[in-house]
Short mmCIF file of all heavy atoms in Angstrom, two decimals:
data_model
loop_
_atom_site.label_atom_id
_atom_site.label_comp_id
_atom_site.label_asym_id
_atom_site.label_seq_id
_atom_site.Cartn_x
_atom_site.Cartn_y
_atom_site.Cartn_z
N GLY A 162 45.71 -17.30 -21.82
CA GLY A 162 44.36 -17.87 -21.76
C GLY A 162 43.33 -16.79 -21.57
O GLY A 162 43.64 -15.60 -21.52
N PHE A 180 23.98 -10.02 -1.98
CA PHE A 180 23.23 -9.99 -3.25
C PHE A 180 23.67 -11.16 -4.14
O PHE A 180 22.83 -11.91 -4.63
CB PHE A 180 23.45 -8.66 -3.97
CG PHE A 180 22.85 -8.62 -5.35
CD1 PHE A 180 21.49 -8.41 -5.51
CD2 PHE A 180 23.64 -8.78 -6.47
CE1 PHE A 180 20.92 -8.37 -6.78
CE2 PHE A 180 23.08 -8.74 -7.74
CZ PHE A 180 21.72 -8.53 -7.90
N PRO A 191 35.81 -19.29 0.50
CA PRO A 191 36.65 -18.54 1.45
C PRO A 191 37.81 -17.85 0.74
O PRO A 191 38.36 -18.39 -0.21
CB PRO A 191 37.16 -19.61 2.41
CG PRO A 191 36.97 -20.91 1.71
CD PRO A 191 35.90 -20.73 0.69
N PRO A 195 40.28 -9.67 3.54
CA PRO A 195 39.10 -9.14 4.23
C PRO A 195 38.37 -8.07 3.43
O PRO A 195 37.28 -7.65 3.80
CB PRO A 195 39.67 -8.57 5.53
CG PRO A 195 41.07 -8.21 5.19
CD PRO A 195 41.53 -9.25 4.18
N ALA A 198 34.89 -10.57 -1.27
CA ALA A 198 34.06 -11.78 -1.15
C ALA A 198 34.12 -12.44 -2.51
O ALA A 198 33.90 -11.78 -3.53
CB ALA A 198 32.63 -11.43 -0.78
N ARG A 210 34.71 -6.51 -4.27
CA ARG A 210 35.73 -6.04 -3.33
C ARG A 210 35.58 -4.55 -3.09
O ARG A 210 34.94 -3.85 -3.87
CB ARG A 210 37.14 -6.35 -3.84
CG ARG A 210 37.48 -5.74 -5.17
CD ARG A 210 38.98 -5.53 -5.38
NE ARG A 210 39.45 -4.54 -4.44
CZ ARG A 210 40.57 -4.65 -3.71
NH1 ARG A 210 41.36 -5.68 -3.86
NH2 ARG A 210 40.93 -3.72 -2.87
N THR A 211 36.19 -4.10 -2.01
CA THR A 211 36.21 -2.67 -1.74
C THR A 211 37.06 -2.01 -2.82
O THR A 211 37.93 -2.65 -3.41
CB THR A 211 36.78 -2.39 -0.34
OG1 THR A 211 38.09 -2.96 -0.25
CG2 THR A 211 35.89 -2.95 0.75
N LEU A 218 34.03 5.51 -7.10
CA LEU A 218 32.91 4.78 -7.67
C LEU A 218 31.78 5.69 -8.13
O LEU A 218 30.88 5.25 -8.83
CB LEU A 218 32.38 3.75 -6.67
CG LEU A 218 33.36 2.63 -6.31
CD1 LEU A 218 32.70 1.65 -5.34
CD2 LEU A 218 33.85 1.89 -7.54
N GLY A 221 31.49 8.02 -12.54
CA GLY A 221 30.86 7.77 -13.85
C GLY A 221 30.20 6.41 -13.89
O GLY A 221 29.98 5.79 -12.86
N ASP A 222 29.91 5.96 -15.07
CA ASP A 222 29.25 4.67 -15.25
C ASP A 222 30.22 3.53 -14.96
O ASP A 222 31.21 3.34 -15.67
CB ASP A 222 28.74 4.52 -16.69
CG ASP A 222 27.65 5.53 -17.02
OD1 ASP A 222 26.92 5.91 -16.10
OD2 ASP A 222 27.55 5.91 -18.19
N LEU A 223 29.91 2.75 -13.93
CA LEU A 223 30.76 1.62 -13.56
C LEU A 223 30.71 0.56 -14.65
O LEU A 223 29.65 0.19 -15.13
CB LEU A 223 30.31 1.02 -12.24
CG LEU A 223 30.42 1.93 -11.03
CD1 LEU A 223 29.82 1.26 -9.80
CD2 LEU A 223 31.87 2.28 -10.79
N ASP A 235 20.01 -22.71 -16.15
CA ASP A 235 18.63 -22.33 -15.87
C ASP A 235 18.52 -20.79 -15.85
O ASP A 235 18.04 -20.20 -14.89
CB ASP A 235 18.15 -22.93 -14.55
CG ASP A 235 16.67 -22.66 -14.30
OD1 ASP A 235 15.92 -22.37 -15.27
OD2 ASP A 235 16.26 -22.70 -13.12
N ALA A 236 18.99 -20.17 -16.93
CA ALA A 236 18.96 -18.71 -17.00
C ALA A 236 17.53 -18.18 -16.88
O ALA A 236 17.30 -17.13 -16.27
CB ALA A 236 19.61 -18.23 -18.30
N LEU A 239 16.65 -18.12 -13.24
CA LEU A 239 17.34 -17.01 -12.56
C LEU A 239 16.66 -15.70 -12.91
O LEU A 239 16.45 -14.86 -12.03
CB LEU A 239 18.82 -16.97 -12.95
CG LEU A 239 19.61 -15.81 -12.38
CD1 LEU A 239 19.58 -15.81 -10.84
CD2 LEU A 239 21.04 -15.83 -12.89
N ARG A 242 13.59 -15.37 -10.75
CA ARG A 242 13.94 -15.08 -9.35
C ARG A 242 14.38 -13.63 -9.18
O ARG A 242 13.97 -12.95 -8.22
CB ARG A 242 15.04 -16.01 -8.85
CG ARG A 242 14.58 -17.42 -8.58
CD ARG A 242 15.57 -18.24 -7.76
NE ARG A 242 16.97 -17.99 -7.98
CZ ARG A 242 17.73 -18.61 -8.89
NH1 ARG A 242 17.21 -19.51 -9.70
NH2 ARG A 242 19.02 -18.34 -8.98
N THR A 251 17.95 -5.10 -17.09
CA THR A 251 18.36 -4.03 -18.00
C THR A 251 18.25 -4.42 -19.47
O THR A 251 18.19 -3.55 -20.33
CB THR A 251 19.79 -3.58 -17.69
OG1 THR A 251 20.67 -4.71 -17.80
CG2 THR A 251 19.88 -2.99 -16.30
N VAL A 252 18.27 -5.71 -19.76
CA VAL A 252 18.04 -6.20 -21.12
C VAL A 252 17.03 -7.33 -21.00
O VAL A 252 17.29 -8.34 -20.32
CB VAL A 252 19.34 -6.70 -21.78
CG1 VAL A 252 19.05 -7.30 -23.15
CG2 VAL A 252 20.37 -5.58 -21.89
N PRO A 258 21.99 -16.51 -29.84
CA PRO A 258 22.97 -17.54 -30.14
C PRO A 258 23.45 -18.31 -28.92
O PRO A 258 23.94 -19.42 -29.03
CB PRO A 258 24.13 -16.78 -30.78
CG PRO A 258 23.73 -15.37 -30.87
CD PRO A 258 22.40 -15.19 -30.23
N GLY A 260 21.36 -19.07 -26.43
CA GLY A 260 20.14 -19.51 -25.77
C GLY A 260 19.46 -18.35 -25.06
O GLY A 260 19.63 -17.19 -25.41
N PRO A 268 23.63 -4.13 -7.30
CA PRO A 268 23.40 -2.97 -6.41
C PRO A 268 24.24 -1.74 -6.73
O PRO A 268 23.85 -0.62 -6.40
CB PRO A 268 23.73 -3.52 -5.02
CG PRO A 268 23.44 -4.98 -5.12
CD PRO A 268 23.86 -5.35 -6.52
N TYR A 271 26.39 -2.21 -11.94
CA TYR A 271 27.09 -2.99 -12.96
C TYR A 271 26.07 -3.81 -13.74
O TYR A 271 25.16 -4.40 -13.14
CB TYR A 271 28.10 -3.96 -12.33
CG TYR A 271 29.33 -3.31 -11.77
CD1 TYR A 271 29.50 -3.15 -10.40
CD2 TYR A 271 30.35 -2.86 -12.61
CE1 TYR A 271 30.64 -2.58 -9.88
CE2 TYR A 271 31.51 -2.29 -12.10
CZ TYR A 271 31.64 -2.14 -10.73
OH TYR A 271 32.77 -1.57 -10.21
N THR A 272 26.23 -3.88 -15.04
CA THR A 272 25.37 -4.72 -15.87
C THR A 272 26.00 -6.09 -16.00
O THR A 272 27.17 -6.21 -16.36
CB THR A 272 25.17 -4.10 -17.27
OG1 THR A 272 24.50 -2.84 -17.13
CG2 THR A 272 24.36 -5.01 -18.16
N ARG A 278 23.61 -21.20 -22.60
CA ARG A 278 24.45 -22.16 -23.32
C ARG A 278 25.89 -21.71 -23.40
O ARG A 278 26.19 -20.52 -23.49
CB ARG A 278 23.94 -22.34 -24.75
CG ARG A 278 22.73 -23.22 -24.86
CD ARG A 278 22.50 -23.62 -26.29
NE ARG A 278 22.15 -22.50 -27.13
CZ ARG A 278 20.97 -22.34 -27.71
NH1 ARG A 278 20.04 -23.22 -27.55
NH2 ARG A 278 20.74 -21.29 -28.45
#
Side-chain angles (χ1 to χ4, degrees):
F180 173 78
R210 59 155 294 135
T211 56
L218 295 181
D222 295 330
L223 296 175
D235 185 21
L239 176 59
R242 286 195 325 271
T251 58
V252 176
Y271 287 105
T272 297
R278 283 194 294 247

